[in-house]
Amino acid sequence: MPRRTATMLASTLMLIALLCAGVLIPVPYAEMSPGPTVNTLGDHDGEPVLQISGRRTYATSGHLNMTTVRVTSADYRMNLVEAVYGWLAHDAKVVPHDTLYPDGKTEEQSTQENAEEFSQSQESAKVAALKELKVPVTSWVIVSTVVKGSPAEGRLHAGDVIKAVDGKAVKQPGDVAKLVTAHKPGGKVVFTIVPAKEQAAAEKAHKAATTTQDVAVTTAASDDSGRKRAVVGISAGTDHTFPFTVDIKLADVGGPSAGLMFALGIYDKLTPGSLTGGRFVAGTGTIDDDGKVGPIGGIELKTVGARSQGAQYFLTPAENCAAAAKDTPSGLRLVKVHTIDDALAALEDIRGGDTAGLPACEK
C-alpha cells in the first residue's frame, strides 16, 4: 500500500475513533436553552393564567410574557460532541453539571425546590401588586420548613404561625433567628404559635385565629464558619391573607424568576386600560413583597426566547443588564428596572410611544 494512502487511511480511522469517543464518552456538563414564554394576561393550556375573583377586573391587551429556561435532566450525561455543539451554538449554554444540580442533588429534589420558589414568587407578586394598588394585605410570620432530624421535627410544623419567641413578639422572619441564636446550644426556646391547622380553619371561616400554644424546643449546635451557634432546625417565612382571591394557573414551571411579570399582570387586570397599549413586552426578575426586582439566571437565553416569540421590549433586572446587553437579539430593546415602579413607568412610556428615554441596559 503506498505510504500516502496508508497515511490517509490511518488518519481517517483515527478521526472515526475520535468521533466515536466523542459520542460515547460522557462529560460532566449540562445544557441550558430557551424555554417557553407565557403571556400572563392570556391563557395557558385552555385556562387563564391569572384568575381573580371577589374584585372587579378589567380587559387587557398586548403581552406581558414571563420567560423560562429549559435544562437537561439531572441523570442525563452529555457526550463530548453535544458539549462542543452547545458551546458553539448561539441559543444554548453549556455549564458544569454541578451548577444546576449541586452536591449530587437529584432531579426530584431540584424540582421540589423550584416548585417552592415558584410558589413563594407568586405570593410575593400578589403582595407587591396589591401594595402598589394600596390594597391592604395582612401578613404574619410562619414556619416555612422544618429540617428532618432537627430538634424542631415533630414539635413545630410547616405553616405554624409564630406569634412570639420567648415571649417577645415576632414581626418579621429575621426576628426568629435573632431570638433563637441569642441562646447557647442546649438551651430551651419557647415558641408561641398558632398551629397550622387552626390557622387554616380560621382563614377558611374568614376569622382571626385565637388559639395559641407554647412549644418548647431544645436548641442544637450548628458549626457556622467555626463559630457554634444555637439552632432548632426551622426556616421562617411570611404568609399573607388577601381581601380577594388571586390564583395563578401555570404548570410545569419552577423557580422565582417570573415574579415581576406576574405582579405586572395582576396590576394590569385590576386597573382600567392596558399597561402595554397592545405592545408585546416580555421580561423576567424576582420580586419581593416591597416590589424590589432581583436578578435571575439564564438571562441571555430568556432574551432569545422572548424575541423568537415576537417580543419588542424586555424588562430586565438591573443586575442582569450587563450580561443581557452583551448579545441582545436583533429587534429586542432591553429596559432596565430596579423595582415594580420602574417597570410601570417604563410601560407608561411604551404604551404612549415615548420610548426615547427608556432606561437602557449597557455592557
Short mmCIF file of all heavy atoms in Angstrom, two decimals, residues 60-127:
data_model
loop_
_atom_site.label_atom_id
_atom_site.label_comp_id
_atom_site.label_asym_id
_atom_site.label_seq_id
_atom_site.Cartn_x
_atom_site.Cartn_y
_atom_site.Cartn_z
N THR A 60 -57.72 43.53 29.21
CA THR A 60 -56.31 43.85 28.93
C THR A 60 -56.03 43.60 27.45
O THR A 60 -56.83 42.99 26.75
CB THR A 60 -55.37 42.99 29.78
OG1 THR A 60 -55.58 41.61 29.47
CG2 THR A 60 -55.62 43.21 31.26
N SER A 61 -54.87 44.04 27.00
CA SER A 61 -54.45 43.77 25.63
C SER A 61 -52.93 43.68 25.60
O SER A 61 -52.24 44.06 26.55
CB SER A 61 -54.93 44.88 24.69
OG SER A 61 -54.30 46.12 25.00
N GLY A 62 -52.41 43.16 24.50
CA GLY A 62 -50.96 43.03 24.38
C GLY A 62 -50.42 41.85 25.17
O GLY A 62 -51.15 40.94 25.55
N HIS A 63 -49.13 41.90 25.40
CA HIS A 63 -48.44 40.80 26.07
C HIS A 63 -47.59 41.30 27.24
O HIS A 63 -46.92 42.33 27.13
CB HIS A 63 -47.50 40.09 25.09
CG HIS A 63 -48.19 39.28 24.05
ND1 HIS A 63 -48.17 37.90 24.04
CD2 HIS A 63 -48.93 39.64 22.98
CE1 HIS A 63 -48.85 37.46 23.00
NE2 HIS A 63 -49.33 38.50 22.34
N LEU A 64 -47.63 40.54 28.33
CA LEU A 64 -46.68 40.68 29.44
C LEU A 64 -46.16 39.27 29.69
O LEU A 64 -46.63 38.57 30.58
CB LEU A 64 -47.37 41.25 30.68
CG LEU A 64 -47.68 42.74 30.67
CD1 LEU A 64 -48.56 43.12 31.87
CD2 LEU A 64 -46.41 43.58 30.67
N ASN A 65 -45.20 38.85 28.89
CA ASN A 65 -44.76 37.46 28.90
C ASN A 65 -43.67 37.19 29.92
O ASN A 65 -42.66 37.90 29.96
CB ASN A 65 -44.25 37.05 27.52
CG ASN A 65 -45.36 36.67 26.57
OD1 ASN A 65 -46.39 37.35 26.51
ND2 ASN A 65 -45.16 35.59 25.83
N MET A 66 -43.91 36.16 30.73
CA MET A 66 -42.83 35.64 31.56
C MET A 66 -42.02 34.67 30.71
O MET A 66 -42.52 34.10 29.75
CB MET A 66 -43.38 34.96 32.82
CG MET A 66 -44.44 33.90 32.59
SD MET A 66 -43.81 32.26 32.17
CE MET A 66 -43.07 31.79 33.71
N THR A 67 -40.74 34.53 31.03
CA THR A 67 -39.84 33.72 30.21
C THR A 67 -39.20 32.62 31.04
O THR A 67 -39.09 32.74 32.26
CB THR A 67 -38.74 34.61 29.59
OG1 THR A 67 -38.11 35.37 30.63
CG2 THR A 67 -39.33 35.57 28.57
N THR A 68 -38.79 31.56 30.37
CA THR A 68 -38.23 30.41 31.08
C THR A 68 -36.96 29.91 30.38
O THR A 68 -36.66 30.29 29.25
CB THR A 68 -39.23 29.25 31.15
OG1 THR A 68 -39.49 28.77 29.82
CG2 THR A 68 -40.54 29.68 31.79
N VAL A 69 -36.25 29.04 31.08
CA VAL A 69 -35.07 28.37 30.54
C VAL A 69 -35.29 26.87 30.67
O VAL A 69 -35.73 26.38 31.71
CB VAL A 69 -33.79 28.78 31.30
CG1 VAL A 69 -32.61 27.91 30.87
CG2 VAL A 69 -33.48 30.25 31.05
N ARG A 70 -34.99 26.14 29.61
CA ARG A 70 -35.09 24.68 29.63
C ARG A 70 -33.71 24.10 29.95
O ARG A 70 -32.71 24.57 29.43
CB ARG A 70 -35.59 24.18 28.26
CG ARG A 70 -35.81 22.68 28.21
CD ARG A 70 -36.30 22.26 26.83
NE ARG A 70 -37.70 22.64 26.60
CZ ARG A 70 -38.10 23.56 25.73
NH1 ARG A 70 -37.20 24.22 25.02
NH2 ARG A 70 -39.38 23.82 25.57
N VAL A 71 -33.66 23.10 30.84
CA VAL A 71 -32.38 22.49 31.22
C VAL A 71 -32.44 20.97 31.04
O VAL A 71 -33.52 20.37 31.11
CB VAL A 71 -31.99 22.81 32.68
CG1 VAL A 71 -31.85 24.31 32.88
CG2 VAL A 71 -33.01 22.25 33.67
N THR A 72 -31.28 20.37 30.81
CA THR A 72 -31.22 18.91 30.72
C THR A 72 -31.45 18.31 32.09
O THR A 72 -31.18 18.94 33.12
CB THR A 72 -29.87 18.45 30.15
OG1 THR A 72 -28.81 19.07 30.90
CG2 THR A 72 -29.73 18.82 28.70
N SER A 73 -31.96 17.09 32.14
CA SER A 73 -32.30 16.44 33.41
C SER A 73 -31.04 16.09 34.20
O SER A 73 -29.93 16.01 33.65
CB SER A 73 -33.13 15.18 33.16
OG SER A 73 -32.38 14.24 32.42
N ALA A 74 -31.22 15.83 35.49
CA ALA A 74 -30.10 15.55 36.38
C ALA A 74 -29.36 14.28 36.00
O ALA A 74 -28.14 14.18 36.16
CB ALA A 74 -30.58 15.47 37.82
N ASP A 75 -30.09 13.28 35.51
CA ASP A 75 -29.45 12.00 35.21
C ASP A 75 -28.97 11.90 33.76
O ASP A 75 -28.40 10.88 33.35
CB ASP A 75 -30.39 10.83 35.51
CG ASP A 75 -31.71 10.93 34.75
OD1 ASP A 75 -31.89 11.91 34.02
OD2 ASP A 75 -32.55 10.02 34.90
N TYR A 76 -29.16 12.96 32.98
CA TYR A 76 -28.68 12.93 31.60
C TYR A 76 -27.22 13.36 31.55
O TYR A 76 -26.83 14.36 32.16
CB TYR A 76 -29.51 13.87 30.72
CG TYR A 76 -29.05 13.88 29.27
CD1 TYR A 76 -29.36 12.82 28.44
CD2 TYR A 76 -28.31 14.94 28.77
CE1 TYR A 76 -28.94 12.82 27.12
CE2 TYR A 76 -27.89 14.94 27.45
CZ TYR A 76 -28.21 13.88 26.63
OH TYR A 76 -27.79 13.87 25.33
N ARG A 77 -26.40 12.60 30.86
CA ARG A 77 -24.98 12.92 30.74
C ARG A 77 -24.67 13.25 29.28
O ARG A 77 -24.81 12.41 28.39
CB ARG A 77 -24.12 11.75 31.21
CG ARG A 77 -24.19 11.52 32.72
CD ARG A 77 -23.59 12.70 33.47
NE ARG A 77 -23.61 12.50 34.92
CZ ARG A 77 -24.56 12.92 35.72
NH1 ARG A 77 -25.60 13.55 35.20
NH2 ARG A 77 -24.49 12.73 37.02
N MET A 78 -24.23 14.47 29.05
CA MET A 78 -23.88 14.89 27.70
C MET A 78 -22.62 14.17 27.25
O MET A 78 -21.76 13.80 28.06
CB MET A 78 -23.61 16.39 27.68
CG MET A 78 -24.75 17.27 28.09
SD MET A 78 -24.32 19.02 27.94
CE MET A 78 -24.24 19.18 26.17
N ASN A 79 -22.51 13.98 25.94
CA ASN A 79 -21.24 13.49 25.41
C ASN A 79 -20.44 14.67 24.89
O ASN A 79 -20.93 15.82 24.84
CB ASN A 79 -21.45 12.43 24.33
CG ASN A 79 -22.25 12.94 23.14
OD1 ASN A 79 -21.95 13.98 22.58
ND2 ASN A 79 -23.29 12.19 22.76
N LEU A 80 -19.21 14.41 24.54
CA LEU A 80 -18.31 15.49 24.14
C LEU A 80 -18.79 16.24 22.91
O LEU A 80 -18.69 17.47 22.83
CB LEU A 80 -16.91 14.92 23.90
CG LEU A 80 -15.80 15.93 23.57
CD1 LEU A 80 -15.66 16.95 24.69
CD2 LEU A 80 -14.48 15.22 23.31
N VAL A 81 -19.35 15.50 21.94
CA VAL A 81 -19.85 16.15 20.72
C VAL A 81 -20.97 17.12 21.05
O VAL A 81 -21.01 18.25 20.55
CB VAL A 81 -20.32 15.08 19.70
CG1 VAL A 81 -21.01 15.75 18.51
CG2 VAL A 81 -19.15 14.24 19.22
N GLU A 82 -21.91 16.72 21.91
CA GLU A 82 -23.02 17.59 22.30
C GLU A 82 -22.51 18.82 23.04
O GLU A 82 -23.02 19.93 22.85
CB GLU A 82 -24.00 16.81 23.18
CG GLU A 82 -24.78 15.73 22.45
CD GLU A 82 -25.60 14.88 23.40
OE1 GLU A 82 -25.10 14.56 24.50
OE2 GLU A 82 -26.74 14.53 23.04
N ALA A 83 -21.52 18.63 23.90
CA ALA A 83 -20.97 19.75 24.65
C ALA A 83 -20.33 20.78 23.71
O ALA A 83 -20.56 21.99 23.85
CB ALA A 83 -19.96 19.25 25.67
N VAL A 84 -19.53 20.30 22.77
CA VAL A 84 -18.88 21.21 21.82
C VAL A 84 -19.92 21.95 20.98
O VAL A 84 -19.83 23.16 20.77
CB VAL A 84 -17.90 20.43 20.91
CG1 VAL A 84 -17.39 21.34 19.80
CG2 VAL A 84 -16.74 19.88 21.73
N TYR A 85 -20.95 21.22 20.52
CA TYR A 85 -22.02 21.85 19.75
C TYR A 85 -22.71 22.93 20.57
O TYR A 85 -23.01 24.02 20.08
CB TYR A 85 -23.03 20.80 19.30
CG TYR A 85 -24.16 21.36 18.47
CD1 TYR A 85 -24.02 21.58 17.11
CD2 TYR A 85 -25.38 21.69 19.07
CE1 TYR A 85 -25.05 22.12 16.35
CE2 TYR A 85 -26.41 22.23 18.33
CZ TYR A 85 -26.24 22.44 16.97
OH TYR A 85 -27.27 22.99 16.24
N GLY A 86 -22.97 22.63 21.85
CA GLY A 86 -23.62 23.60 22.72
C GLY A 86 -22.76 24.83 22.94
O GLY A 86 -23.27 25.97 22.98
N TRP A 87 -21.45 24.65 23.09
CA TRP A 87 -20.56 25.79 23.28
C TRP A 87 -20.56 26.71 22.07
O TRP A 87 -20.42 27.93 22.20
CB TRP A 87 -19.14 25.30 23.56
CG TRP A 87 -18.90 24.86 24.97
CD1 TRP A 87 -19.35 25.46 26.10
CD2 TRP A 87 -18.17 23.70 25.40
NE1 TRP A 87 -18.96 24.76 27.22
CE2 TRP A 87 -18.22 23.68 26.82
CE3 TRP A 87 -17.47 22.69 24.74
CZ2 TRP A 87 -17.60 22.68 27.57
CZ3 TRP A 87 -16.86 21.70 25.49
CH2 TRP A 87 -16.93 21.69 26.89
N LEU A 88 -20.72 26.12 20.89
CA LEU A 88 -20.68 26.91 19.66
C LEU A 88 -22.03 27.52 19.30
O LEU A 88 -22.10 28.49 18.55
CB LEU A 88 -20.19 26.03 18.50
CG LEU A 88 -18.76 25.49 18.62
CD1 LEU A 88 -18.46 24.55 17.46
CD2 LEU A 88 -17.74 26.62 18.67
N ALA A 89 -23.12 26.94 19.83
CA ALA A 89 -24.47 27.38 19.47
C ALA A 89 -24.79 28.74 20.09
O ALA A 89 -24.37 29.06 21.19
CB ALA A 89 -25.49 26.35 19.91
N HIS A 90 -25.57 29.53 19.36
CA HIS A 90 -25.97 30.85 19.85
C HIS A 90 -27.10 30.75 20.88
O HIS A 90 -27.19 31.57 21.78
CB HIS A 90 -26.42 31.72 18.66
CG HIS A 90 -27.03 33.03 19.07
ND1 HIS A 90 -26.28 34.06 19.59
CD2 HIS A 90 -28.32 33.47 19.04
CE1 HIS A 90 -27.08 35.09 19.85
NE2 HIS A 90 -28.32 34.75 19.53
N ASP A 91 -27.96 29.76 20.70
CA ASP A 91 -29.17 29.68 21.53
C ASP A 91 -29.08 28.58 22.59
O ASP A 91 -30.08 27.97 22.97
CB ASP A 91 -30.40 29.46 20.66
CG ASP A 91 -30.30 28.19 19.83
OD1 ASP A 91 -29.22 27.59 19.80
OD2 ASP A 91 -31.32 27.81 19.22
N ALA A 92 -27.88 28.29 23.07
CA ALA A 92 -27.70 27.31 24.13
C ALA A 92 -26.52 27.71 24.99
O ALA A 92 -25.67 28.51 24.57
CB ALA A 92 -27.49 25.91 23.54
N LYS A 93 -26.48 27.16 26.19
CA LYS A 93 -25.39 27.45 27.11
C LYS A 93 -25.02 26.17 27.83
O LYS A 93 -25.87 25.54 28.46
CB LYS A 93 -25.82 28.52 28.11
CG LYS A 93 -24.70 28.99 29.03
CD LYS A 93 -25.20 30.14 29.92
CE LYS A 93 -24.08 30.65 30.82
NZ LYS A 93 -24.56 31.76 31.68
N VAL A 94 -23.76 25.77 27.72
CA VAL A 94 -23.27 24.57 28.38
C VAL A 94 -22.56 24.98 29.67
O VAL A 94 -21.68 25.84 29.66
CB VAL A 94 -22.31 23.78 27.46
CG1 VAL A 94 -21.70 22.61 28.21
CG2 VAL A 94 -23.06 23.28 26.23
N VAL A 95 -22.99 24.39 30.78
CA VAL A 95 -22.44 24.73 32.10
C VAL A 95 -22.06 23.45 32.83
O VAL A 95 -22.57 22.37 32.51
CB VAL A 95 -23.46 25.53 32.93
CG1 VAL A 95 -23.82 26.84 32.26
CG2 VAL A 95 -24.73 24.71 33.18
N PRO A 96 -21.16 23.54 33.82
CA PRO A 96 -20.85 22.35 34.62
C PRO A 96 -22.12 21.76 35.23
O PRO A 96 -23.01 22.49 35.68
CB PRO A 96 -19.91 22.89 35.70
CG PRO A 96 -19.25 24.07 35.06
CD PRO A 96 -20.31 24.70 34.20
N HIS A 97 -22.23 20.44 35.22
CA HIS A 97 -23.42 19.75 35.72
C HIS A 97 -23.74 20.18 37.16
O HIS A 97 -24.91 20.35 37.53
CB HIS A 97 -23.19 18.23 35.65
CG HIS A 97 -24.42 17.42 35.97
ND1 HIS A 97 -24.74 17.04 37.26
CD2 HIS A 97 -25.39 16.92 35.16
CE1 HIS A 97 -25.86 16.34 37.22
NE2 HIS A 97 -26.28 16.25 35.97
N ASP A 98 -22.71 20.38 37.98
CA ASP A 98 -22.92 20.74 39.38
C ASP A 98 -23.49 22.14 39.55
O ASP A 98 -23.97 22.48 40.64
CB ASP A 98 -21.60 20.62 40.16
CG ASP A 98 -21.17 19.17 40.35
OD1 ASP A 98 -22.00 18.28 40.10
OD2 ASP A 98 -20.01 18.93 40.73
N THR A 99 -23.42 22.96 38.51
CA THR A 99 -24.03 24.29 38.60
C THR A 99 -25.54 24.19 38.73
O THR A 99 -26.17 24.95 39.47
CB THR A 99 -23.68 25.11 37.34
OG1 THR A 99 -22.26 25.23 37.23
CG2 THR A 99 -24.29 26.51 37.42
N LEU A 100 -26.13 23.24 38.01
CA LEU A 100 -27.58 23.05 38.04
C LEU A 100 -28.01 22.07 39.12
O LEU A 100 -29.10 22.20 39.69
CB LEU A 100 -28.08 22.55 36.68
CG LEU A 100 -27.83 23.48 35.49
CD1 LEU A 100 -28.33 22.84 34.21
CD2 LEU A 100 -28.50 24.82 35.71
N TYR A 101 -27.17 21.08 39.39
CA TYR A 101 -27.52 20.04 40.36
C TYR A 101 -26.35 19.86 41.34
O TYR A 101 -25.60 18.90 41.25
CB TYR A 101 -27.83 18.72 39.66
CG TYR A 101 -28.93 18.84 38.62
CD1 TYR A 101 -28.61 18.90 37.26
CD2 TYR A 101 -30.26 18.91 38.99
CE1 TYR A 101 -29.62 19.02 36.31
CE2 TYR A 101 -31.26 19.03 38.04
CZ TYR A 101 -30.93 19.09 36.71
OH TYR A 101 -31.93 19.21 35.76
N PRO A 102 -26.17 20.81 42.27
CA PRO A 102 -25.02 20.76 43.18
C PRO A 102 -25.14 19.64 44.21
O PRO A 102 -26.24 19.20 44.57
CB PRO A 102 -25.06 22.13 43.85
CG PRO A 102 -26.50 22.54 43.79
CD PRO A 102 -27.02 21.98 42.50
N ASP A 103 -23.97 19.18 44.67
CA ASP A 103 -23.90 18.21 45.76
C ASP A 103 -24.72 16.95 45.49
O ASP A 103 -25.36 16.40 46.38
CB ASP A 103 -24.36 18.84 47.09
CG ASP A 103 -23.52 20.06 47.45
OD1 ASP A 103 -22.31 20.03 47.18
OD2 ASP A 103 -24.09 21.02 47.98
N GLY A 104 -24.74 16.50 44.24
CA GLY A 104 -25.45 15.27 43.92
C GLY A 104 -26.95 15.38 44.05
O GLY A 104 -27.65 14.37 44.19
N LYS A 105 -27.48 16.58 43.99
CA LYS A 105 -28.93 16.79 44.12
C LYS A 105 -29.66 16.06 43.00
O LYS A 105 -29.28 16.14 41.84
CB LYS A 105 -29.24 18.28 44.07
CG LYS A 105 -30.69 18.63 44.33
CD LYS A 105 -30.92 20.12 44.18
CE LYS A 105 -30.12 20.92 45.17
NZ LYS A 105 -30.36 22.37 45.00
N THR A 106 -30.71 15.34 43.35
CA THR A 106 -31.48 14.62 42.35
C THR A 106 -32.42 15.58 41.62
O THR A 106 -32.69 16.70 42.08
CB THR A 106 -32.33 13.51 42.98
OG1 THR A 106 -33.33 14.12 43.83
CG2 THR A 106 -31.47 12.57 43.80
N GLU A 107 -32.94 15.11 40.49
CA GLU A 107 -33.88 15.93 39.73
C GLU A 107 -35.15 16.17 40.55
O GLU A 107 -35.74 17.26 40.49
CB GLU A 107 -34.21 15.26 38.41
CG GLU A 107 -35.06 16.12 37.50
CD GLU A 107 -35.17 15.57 36.09
OE1 GLU A 107 -34.57 14.53 35.82
OE2 GLU A 107 -35.86 16.20 35.28
N GLU A 108 -35.58 15.16 41.33
CA GLU A 108 -36.77 15.32 42.16
C GLU A 108 -36.56 16.41 43.21
O GLU A 108 -37.45 17.24 43.46
CB GLU A 108 -37.12 14.00 42.85
CG GLU A 108 -37.64 12.91 41.92
CD GLU A 108 -36.55 12.28 41.06
OE1 GLU A 108 -35.35 12.46 41.41
OE2 GLU A 108 -36.88 11.63 40.06
N GLN A 109 -35.38 16.43 43.84
CA GLN A 109 -35.08 17.45 44.84
C GLN A 109 -35.04 18.84 44.20
O GLN A 109 -35.57 19.80 44.77
CB GLN A 109 -33.75 17.14 45.52
CG GLN A 109 -33.78 15.93 46.43
CD GLN A 109 -32.39 15.54 46.91
OE1 GLN A 109 -31.41 15.66 46.19
NE2 GLN A 109 -32.31 15.08 48.15
N SER A 110 -34.41 18.93 43.05
CA SER A 110 -34.34 20.21 42.35
C SER A 110 -35.73 20.69 41.95
O SER A 110 -36.06 21.87 42.10
CB SER A 110 -33.45 20.08 41.11
OG SER A 110 -33.35 21.30 40.44
N THR A 111 -36.57 19.76 41.46
CA THR A 111 -37.93 20.11 41.07
C THR A 111 -38.73 20.61 42.26
O THR A 111 -39.48 21.59 42.15
CB THR A 111 -38.63 18.90 40.43
OG1 THR A 111 -37.91 18.50 39.25
CG2 THR A 111 -40.06 19.23 40.06
N GLN A 112 -38.57 19.96 43.42
CA GLN A 112 -39.28 20.38 44.61
C GLN A 112 -38.86 21.77 45.06
O GLN A 112 -39.70 22.61 45.40
CB GLN A 112 -39.03 19.36 45.74
CG GLN A 112 -39.70 19.71 47.07
CD GLN A 112 -41.21 19.79 46.97
OE1 GLN A 112 -41.82 19.07 46.18
NE2 GLN A 112 -41.82 20.65 47.77
N GLU A 113 -37.55 22.03 45.04
CA GLU A 113 -37.06 23.35 45.42
C GLU A 113 -37.58 24.42 44.46
O GLU A 113 -38.00 25.50 44.90
CB GLU A 113 -35.54 23.36 45.45
CG GLU A 113 -34.93 22.59 46.61
CD GLU A 113 -33.42 22.69 46.64
OE1 GLU A 113 -32.86 23.49 45.86
OE2 GLU A 113 -32.79 21.98 47.45
N ASN A 114 -37.56 24.10 43.17
CA ASN A 114 -38.06 25.06 42.19
C ASN A 114 -39.55 25.33 42.37
O ASN A 114 -40.02 26.46 42.20
CB ASN A 114 -37.79 24.54 40.77
CG ASN A 114 -36.35 24.68 40.35
OD1 ASN A 114 -35.64 25.55 40.85
ND2 ASN A 114 -35.91 23.84 39.44
N ALA A 115 -40.30 24.29 42.72
CA ALA A 115 -41.74 24.45 42.95
C ALA A 115 -41.99 25.35 44.16
O ALA A 115 -42.90 26.20 44.14
CB ALA A 115 -42.39 23.09 43.16
N GLU A 116 -41.20 25.17 45.22
CA GLU A 116 -41.35 26.00 46.41
C GLU A 116 -41.01 27.46 46.10
O GLU A 116 -41.71 28.39 46.54
CB GLU A 116 -40.46 25.47 47.53
CG GLU A 116 -40.93 24.12 48.09
CD GLU A 116 -39.94 23.53 49.07
OE1 GLU A 116 -38.88 24.16 49.30
OE2 GLU A 116 -40.22 22.43 49.61
N GLU A 117 -39.94 27.67 45.32
CA GLU A 117 -39.56 29.03 44.94
C GLU A 117 -40.62 29.67 44.05
O GLU A 117 -40.92 30.87 44.18
CB GLU A 117 -38.21 29.02 44.23
CG GLU A 117 -37.03 28.67 45.12
CD GLU A 117 -35.73 28.62 44.36
OE1 GLU A 117 -35.76 28.45 43.12
OE2 GLU A 117 -34.67 28.74 45.00
N PHE A 118 -41.20 28.86 43.17
CA PHE A 118 -42.25 29.37 42.29
C PHE A 118 -43.47 29.79 43.09
O PHE A 118 -44.07 30.84 42.84
CB PHE A 118 -42.62 28.28 41.28
CG PHE A 118 -43.58 28.72 40.21
CD1 PHE A 118 -43.25 29.73 39.33
CD2 PHE A 118 -44.82 28.11 40.07
CE1 PHE A 118 -44.13 30.14 38.33
CE2 PHE A 118 -45.70 28.49 39.08
CZ PHE A 118 -45.36 29.51 38.21
N SER A 119 -43.84 28.97 44.07
CA SER A 119 -44.98 29.29 44.92
C SER A 119 -44.74 30.58 45.70
O SER A 119 -45.62 31.44 45.80
CB SER A 119 -45.26 28.13 45.88
OG SER A 119 -46.32 28.44 46.75
N GLN A 120 -43.54 30.72 46.24
CA GLN A 120 -43.22 31.92 47.01
C GLN A 120 -43.21 33.15 46.10
O GLN A 120 -43.64 34.24 46.50
CB GLN A 120 -41.86 31.77 47.70
CG GLN A 120 -41.46 32.96 48.58
CD GLN A 120 -42.49 33.26 49.65
OE1 GLN A 120 -42.88 32.39 50.42
NE2 GLN A 120 -42.95 34.50 49.70
N SER A 121 -42.74 32.99 44.87
CA SER A 121 -42.71 34.13 43.95
C SER A 121 -44.12 34.59 43.62
O SER A 121 -44.38 35.78 43.45
CB SER A 121 -41.96 33.76 42.66
OG SER A 121 -42.74 32.95 41.80
N GLN A 122 -45.06 33.65 43.53
CA GLN A 122 -46.45 34.00 43.28
C GLN A 122 -47.01 34.83 44.44
O GLN A 122 -47.70 35.83 44.22
CB GLN A 122 -47.28 32.74 43.10
CG GLN A 122 -46.96 31.95 41.85
CD GLN A 122 -47.81 30.69 41.73
OE1 GLN A 122 -48.96 30.67 42.14
NE2 GLN A 122 -47.25 29.65 41.17
N GLU A 123 -46.72 34.40 45.67
CA GLU A 123 -47.20 35.14 46.83
C GLU A 123 -46.63 36.56 46.85
O GLU A 123 -47.35 37.54 47.07
CB GLU A 123 -46.81 34.41 48.12
CG GLU A 123 -47.57 33.12 48.36
CD GLU A 123 -49.06 33.36 48.54
OE1 GLU A 123 -49.45 33.99 49.53
OE2 GLU A 123 -49.85 32.92 47.67
N SER A 124 -45.32 36.67 46.60
CA SER A 124 -44.69 37.99 46.62
C SER A 124 -45.22 38.87 45.48
O SER A 124 -45.37 40.08 45.65
CB SER A 124 -43.17 37.86 46.51
OG SER A 124 -42.64 37.24 47.67
N ALA A 125 -45.51 38.26 44.33
CA ALA A 125 -46.07 39.02 43.22
C ALA A 125 -47.44 39.60 43.59
O ALA A 125 -47.75 40.76 43.29
CB ALA A 125 -46.20 38.12 41.98
N LYS A 126 -48.27 38.80 44.25
CA LYS A 126 -49.58 39.28 44.69
C LYS A 126 -49.43 40.44 45.67
O LYS A 126 -50.09 41.46 45.55
CB LYS A 126 -50.35 38.14 45.35
CG LYS A 126 -50.69 36.97 44.43
CD LYS A 126 -51.32 35.83 45.23
CE LYS A 126 -51.44 34.56 44.42
NZ LYS A 126 -52.00 33.43 45.21
N VAL A 127 -48.53 40.25 46.66
CA VAL A 127 -48.34 41.29 47.66
C VAL A 127 -47.84 42.58 47.03
O VAL A 127 -48.34 43.68 47.31
CB VAL A 127 -47.36 40.81 48.75
CG1 VAL A 127 -47.07 41.95 49.75
CG2 VAL A 127 -47.92 39.61 49.49
#
